[in-house]
Amino acid sequence: MSKVIISCAVTGAMHIPTMSDALPLTPEHIAEESIAAAEAGAAIVHLHARVPETGAPTGDPDIFARFLPVIKQRTDAVINITTGGSPAMTVQDRLSAATRFKPEMCSLNMGSMNFAIFPAARRISEWKQDWERDYVVNSDDFIFRNTFRDIAYILQSLGEAGTKFEHECYDVGHLYNLAHFLDRGLVKPPFFVQMIFGILGGIGADLDNLMFMKQTADRLFGKDSFQWSVLAAGRHQMPFMTQAALMGGHVRVGLEDSLFIEPRKLATSNAQQVEKARRILAEMGHEPATPAEARAMLGLKGGDRTAI
Ligand code: KMH
Ligand code: ZN
């Protein structure tokens, strides 16, 4: 049985409360969902925060502080804090929780891009929160900023704390950006590449593109210098998770990336998606890596060396 790291991205910033009642909004619900996802087999939990009263994405470290210690006490899962935040945040806002808590892992978005969710607006007639409609509709004019200077700053400021990165690559050019930082010595093997498919503004969710991204990464980095994972948005989540596992990759699921458990059926929880991933992996002769195994594979500093 080979070991596959399951990451679970619990709430994110792409989805809004109106889209699903299962989306965790409060610190208590984020903690509960993360713990259940870890118990279901997720070795890494990837975390964003939201304003409890409105569900709006926030980078406020004081809100992260209301769930991070709970997750740490109740699971051995690797805590991965976003530096991507949401479209409404400055780069500084996006970094404030990661710099305060110095987690074992953070996401690191490997290039600026359009990052759009506005097509979802045509499927929504009633909005639960007054911030939601503009947040969704105005994403047609949003540039997700990740300049080379931003990326270098994040690598240097968080790298000193021993934080390792989930390098989020939404397109093939982002792999070349990562190679640039390898050449500069700001990224060192073993590193962790998260290949992302199906975001409007990034590479499309076609299997040819998964093969292309993996071949490009192998050519740029050398097969043995990195661990790689795949996440795909929405209806593509489970097919791409399955294909990634067939190719020897790790996988990411969670309500941040897809609200569904199967086409046109909303997931009831993050754990439900982790359990489905676990079943699919088992059919292929894989089992979920434990947090300790994930730490060994990724060269992480250990849960006792954070400020959580
Ligand atoms: N929302 C995912 C597609 C981040 O948090 O830094 C990518 C992500 C970005 O998780
Ligand atoms: Zn995220």
Side-chain angles (χ1 to χ4, degrees):
M1 295 280 262
S2 66
K3 294 288 189 165
V4 173
I5 298 171
I6 302 177
S7 293
C8 184
V10 169
T11 189
M14 260 184 358
H15 296 129
I16 60 171
T18 292
M19 293 175 179
S20 168
D21 292 338
L23 191 66
L25 310 175
T26 65
E28 297 73 19
H29 196 191
I30 290 170
E32 185 189 307
E33 283 282 286
S34 302
I35 293 159
E39 288 170 352
I44 300 173
V45 286
H46 168 79
L47 298 164
H48 292 240
R50 291 178 183 263
V51 177
E53 298 74 22
T54 66
T58 178
D60 183 351
D62 290 338
I63 295 187
F64 279 88
R66 291 170 56 185
F67 57 80
L68 291 176
V70 178
I71 296 167
K72 185 179 176 186
Q73 282 150 18
R74 296 272 304 280
T75 78
D76 186 32
V78 175
I79 288 177
N80 168 341
I81 296 177
T82 180
T83 65
S86 85
M89 297 177 197
T90 64
V91 174
Q92 282 309 328
D93 284 351
R94 291 165 39 186
L95 284 179
S96 45
T99 44
R100 175 159 142 188
F101 296 107
K102 300 176 176 29
E104 290 189 85
M105 289 190 83
C106 280
S107 60
L108 179 55
N109 296 275
M110 296 311 296
S112 301
M113 63 188 281
N114 294 333
F115 193 123
I117 57 173
F118 63 90
R122 64 170 174 259
R123 296 191 291 274
I124 298 172
S125 50
E126 278 185 54
W127 304 84
K128 281 183 182 168
Q129 298 288 338
D130 57 10
W131 58 270
E132 289 181 316
R133 188 181 179 286
D134 286 354
Y135 183 83
V136 172
V137 170
N138 294 337
S139 68
D140 70 340
D141 196 33
F142 169 61
I143 293 173
F144 186 28
R145 175 192 159 128
N146 299 286
T147 63
F148 281 97
R149 188 173 302 175
D150 294 334
I151 296 169
Y153 174 74
I154 297 169
L155 284 167
Q156 284 158 334
S157 53
L158 289 168
E160 282 163 17
T163 295
K164 283 263 188 164
F165 296 95
E166 176 187 359
H167 294 278
E168 318 273 15
C169 295
Y170 301 74
D171 211 331
V172 67
H174 294 176
L175 296 171
Y176 285 85
N177 294 353
L178 179 50
H180 163 80
F181 286 104
L182 267 167
D183 293 346
R184 277 173 62 176
L186 288 177
V187 173
K188 294 183 175 59
F191 51 92
F192 186 52
V193 180
Q194 186 70 256
M195 299 179 189
I196 299 175
F197 300 86
I199 297 293
L200 183 56
I203 198 166
D206 296 303
L207 284 182
D208 288 354
N209 290 338
L210 172 48
M211 310 306 277
F212 176 45
M213 288 275 277
K214 178 62 170 68
Q215 286 157 6
T216 304
D218 288 346
R219 177 164 32 83
L220 288 173
F221 311 135
K223 283 181 191 286
D224 299 333
S225 63
F226 70 105
Q227 296 281 340
W228 63 288
S229 178
V230 168
L231 80 83
R235 68 183 184 282
H236 305 295
Q237 182 185 58
M238 292 299 170
F240 268 66
M241 185 281 302
T242 304
Q243 182 64 39
L246 283 169
M247 292 165 59
H250 303 294
V251 300
R252 176 168 138 170
V253 294
L255 299 181
E256 169 167 349
D257 305 327
S258 171
L259 295 171
F260 295 89
I261 191 64
E262 59 187 59
R264 292 179 300 283
K265 187 176 179 188
L266 288 174
T268 56
S269 69
N270 282 279
Q272 189 188 26
Q273 289 184 349
V274 176
E275 285 156 2
K276 180 167 181 176
R278 187 183 185 133
R279 287 196 303 274
I280 292 170
L281 293 174
E283 290 298 325
M284 287 189 251
H286 301 312
E287 60 181 10
T290 64
E293 289 165 337
R295 289 187 172 97
M297 283 190 242
L298 302 179
L300 302 185
K301 66 180 178 179
D304 55 347
R305 289 190 53 215
T306 71
I308 296 171

